[in-house]
Amino acid sequence: MISHTEDTNVEITEKKVRKMLYAIKIDKSLDPDGIHPLFLHNTAEEVAGPLTLIFKKSLAEGILLRDWKRANITPIYKKGARNEAGNYRPVSFTSVVCEILGVMIKDSMLQFLEESQWLTLKHHGFVSGRLCLTNLLESFENWTELLDEGHGIDVIYLDYRKAFDTVPHKRLLTKVQQAGIGGRVLNRIKAFLSDREMSVVVNKHFSAWAPVVSGVPQGSVLGLLLFLMYVNDLPDWIVNNMRMVVDDKKLWS
């Protein structure tokens, strides 16, 4: 565990912002801030400079605009009866502008965590060099070795219930600090998590805005990294072999 905290360097340049604006998926729907992705794509040359200044100021002061903290929640069907609300996965559609800054912060945090070797090797997916495929290959190799030695294998597959929605913010921020991340980036994460609002969208009908008191936005790149950091120490408490892919876990003995 890293006991100190550092002001992780986040490189924000007009060139990087412009490149990300051109890479925006223009077929996405209108964001909560009212700015369509197609507009940002088509005006990349003109808005890259002003957005760079806004991003730098947001990071320096740890402040997010209110529209950046709002999310349109779209229910995605998973399984079971379609008339049961519990059979849908809520996916957050947030401001594309805020996501651009979030990607740059995520990249810097991920680089810092990998260089400090803080992230567990038991986690695969969203981590450099460890993908869903490596997760399967490592598990298969271990199981094959056990079977060759004449052992039986018991495997348990686990999936968190409402994984992204129930992460407590105070505990999450504690783990972010334990990872060695502090300063402006930590303040920016605090601002990212606090005072969030959501509106559920079904058939182009919007609910009233409601406060978000826990969890990380599912569908945002920064939210995904924060979730990985929250569950990172789980293998330290498990005696059996295990592998993780985001919120899916498997244990065997």
Side-chain angles (χ1 to χ4, degrees):
M1 178 182 297
I2 301 174
S3 59
H4 65 284
T5 58
E6 298 181 6
D7 192 356
T8 311
N9 180 47
V10 180
E11 183 183 8
I12 302 176
T13 65
E14 185 173 337
K15 181 179 179 180
K16 290 181 64 175
V17 173
R18 184 185 301 109
K19 181 179 179 180
M20 296 181 70
L21 287 170
Y22 277 125
I24 288 176
K25 294 182 179 179
I26 60 176
D27 58 347
K28 292 183 61 179
S29 59
L30 190 68
D31 296 316
D33 57 13
I35 302 177
H36 199 283
L38 179 61
F39 172 81
L40 294 171
H41 175 83
N42 291 341
T43 60
E45 294 293 336
E46 291 77 15
V47 304
L51 282 180
T52 302
L53 297 177
I54 293 174
F55 290 164
K56 289 182 177 180
K57 185 176 179 62
S58 173
L59 184 62
E61 299 182 4
I63 297 175
L64 267 74
L65 301 174
R66 183 182 181 186
D67 287 341
W68 288 7
K69 297 186 179 186
R70 286 185 159 181
N72 290 333
I73 308 298
T74 299
I76 305 297
Y77 174 73
K78 294 192 298 183
K79 59 182 179 179
R82 291 183 176 272
N83 60 345
E84 293 289 338
N87 294 329
Y88 290 79
R89 174 185 289 110
V91 176
S92 301
F93 290 92
T94 55
S95 166
V96 170
V97 175
C98 185
E99 276 292 278
I100 292 175
L101 177 56
V103 169
M104 289 186 281
I105 294 175
K106 180 268 299 181
D107 289 342
S108 298
M109 289 177 60
L110 193 55
Q111 180 181 354
F112 172 80
L113 294 173
E114 290 179 344
E115 289 177 351
S116 62
Q117 299 181 340
W118 187 82
L119 289 172
T120 176
L121 296 177
K122 301 295 180 63
H123 201 103
H124 297 252
F126 200 67
V127 181
S128 177
R130 298 198 297 279
L131 310 174
C132 293
L133 178 59
T134 58
N135 168 45
L136 294 173
L137 290 174
E138 287 186 10
S139 303
F140 183 75
E141 181 180 5
N142 189 280
W143 296 348
T144 302
E145 182 179 350
L146 291 173
L147 290 173
D148 287 343
E149 293 175 357
H151 299 291
I153 305 173
D154 294 317
V155 184
I156 300 176
Y157 288 85
L158 302 174
D159 188 8
Y160 288 115
R161 181 175 179 268
K162 297 183 178 180
F164 285 80
D165 303 328
T166 54
V167 175
H169 291 164
K170 289 185 178 180
R171 296 181 200 172
L172 172 59
L173 290 171
T174 297
K175 291 196 175 185
V176 172
Q177 288 180 290
Q178 290 175 345
I181 294 175
R184 296 177 302 167
V185 173
L186 179 63
N187 292 333
R188 174 58 168 69
I189 294 174
K190 289 179 180 179
F192 175 77
L193 295 173
S194 63
D195 301 322
R196 299 193 66 86
E197 294 180 307
M198 65 179 180
S199 173
V200 179
V201 184
V202 178
N203 295 330
K204 297 183 179 180
H205 294 280
F206 294 76
S207 71
W209 292 106
V212 180
V213 296
S214 67
V216 293
Q218 184 171 353
S220 66
V221 292
L222 191 55
L224 177 55
L225 178 59
L226 292 175
F227 179 82
L228 297 187
M229 296 180 68
Y230 185 70
V231 301
N232 185 72
D233 61 345
L234 182 59
D236 297 338
W237 300 90
I238 303 297
V239 176
N240 305 84
N241 290 295
M242 75 173 301
R243 293 295 184 274
M244 307 189 295
V245 179
V246 192
D247 59 336
D248 295 316
K249 314 285 181 277
K250 61 173 173 282
L251 298 82
W252 67 88
S253 176

